C-alpha cells in the first residue's frame, strides 16, 4: 500500500498502476467482475467481508463506501445498461484500498451535494447525491481516473 499523502488527494493514477508499489507480506487481494445490475451491490459488500472479515475495524466504512461506488457504477455509467463493473479490494495490515472501475459515462463523476439545509425541502429527502460526499468524509484519501472510456474511483481507509 502506498504511504498516504494529503487527505483525500485526488490523483489521476489508477491504484493498480502506481509504480514502485511492493506487495507487503500479509496483503490480501480480491478482484471480481460484476454484471451492472442493482442486485450486485450486496455482492460487493460480501466481497469486502471476504477480504477483511466483519470484525475488521474498517469493515463498516469500507462496506458502505464500496456499496456507494458500486451503486454509482450501475446508476451513472454504461455498466448499468447491460455492462459490467469491477471491484478490487486490497487489505494490508489495518489499511484498506478499494477501487471500482465501470464502463464510463458521458460526464465525469460529480461530487454534487444535496444541501439538506432547509432552504430546499426536496434536497433533504433526496435519494442520490450522497455517494462521493460520503467518500470525501470517510476516506483517508480517494481519487478517480478516466481512460479509454472507463471510470475508476478508488479510496483508502486507515485507522484513526
Amino acid at each position: 500500500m502506498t504511504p498516504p499523502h494529503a487527505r483525500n488527494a485526488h490523483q489521476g493514477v489508477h491504484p493498480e498502476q502506481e509504480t514502485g508499489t511492493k506487495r507487503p507480506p500479509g496483503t490480501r487481494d480480491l478482484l471480481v467482475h460484476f454484471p451492472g445490475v442493482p442486485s450486485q451491490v450486496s455482492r460487493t459488500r460480501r466481497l469486502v467481508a471476504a477480504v477483511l472479515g466483519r470484525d475488521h475495524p474498517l469493515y463498516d466504512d469500507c462496506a458502505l463506501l464500496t456499496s456507494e461506488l458500486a451503486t454509482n457504477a450501475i446508476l451513472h455509467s454504461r455498466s448499468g445498461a447491460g455492462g459490467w463493473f469491477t471491484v478490487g479490494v486490497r487489505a494490508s495490515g489495518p489499511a484498506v484500498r478499494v477501487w471500482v472501475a465501470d464502463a464510463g459515462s458521458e460526464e465525469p463523476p460529480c461530487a454534487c451535494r444535496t444541501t439538506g439545509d432547509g432552504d430546499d425541502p426536496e434536497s433533504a429527502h433526496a435519494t442520490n447525491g450522497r455517494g462521493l460526499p460520503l467518500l470525501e468524509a470517510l476516506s483517508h484519501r480517494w481519487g478517480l481516473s478516466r481512460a479509454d472510456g472507463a471510470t475508476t474511483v478508488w479510496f483508502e481507509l486507515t485507522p484513526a
Side-chain angles (χ1 to χ4, degrees), residues 62-88:
C62 191
L64 172 64
L65 294 178
T66 302
S67 294
E68 289 292 336
L69 294 184
T71 299
N72 285 353
I74 294 164
L75 294 179
H76 304 296
S77 82
R78 288 181 284 274
S79 294
W84 292 75
F85 66 99
T86 303
V87 179

Side-chain angles (χ1 to χ4, degrees), residues 2 26 33 39 50 94 109 111 116 123:
T2 307
H33 303 287
S39 64
S123 70

Side-chain angles (χ1 to χ4, degrees), residues 7-160:
R7 178 171 170 76
N8 298 326
H10 304 279
Q11 298 179 358
V13 177
H14 186 284
E16 300 304 312
Q17 295 174 334
E18 291 182 358
T19 57
T21 301
K22 274 187 127 173
R23 202 171 143 187
T27 299
R28 296 172 315 279
D29 292 304
L30 203 51
L31 176 72
V32 178
H33 303 287
F34 296 98
V37 295
S39 64
Q40 300 305 298
V41 174
S42 63
R43 290 188 61 213
T44 67
R45 288 190 296 273
R46 289 194 294 273
L47 173 68
V48 169
V51 174
L52 299 183
R54 293 184 190 269
D55 59 341
H56 191 283
L58 299 172
Y59 170 77
D60 290 332
D61 286 349
C62 191
L64 172 64
L65 294 178
T66 302
S67 294
E68 289 292 336
L69 294 184
T71 299
N72 285 353
I74 294 164
L75 294 179
H76 304 296
S77 82
R78 288 181 284 274
S79 294
W84 292 75
F85 66 99
T86 303
V87 179
V89 180
R90 172 175 284 175
S92 181
V96 182
R97 173 178 264 181
V98 173
W99 58 270
V100 176
D102 63 39
S105 62
E106 295 300 317
E107 299 293 322
C110 172
C112 307
R113 298 177 189 272
T114 56
T115 59
D117 60 7
D119 290 342
D120 179 6
E122 294 298 315
S123 70
H125 302 289
T127 58
N128 59 10
R130 289 177 167 66
L132 293 181
L134 270 174
L135 192 63
E136 180 78 25
L138 297 177
S139 69
H140 176 73
R141 69 181 191 144
W142 71 281
L144 65 90
S145 63
R146 289 174 48 98
D148 301 323
T151 300
T152 300
V153 181
W154 60 269
F155 66 87
E156 291 180 352
L157 298 172
T158 58

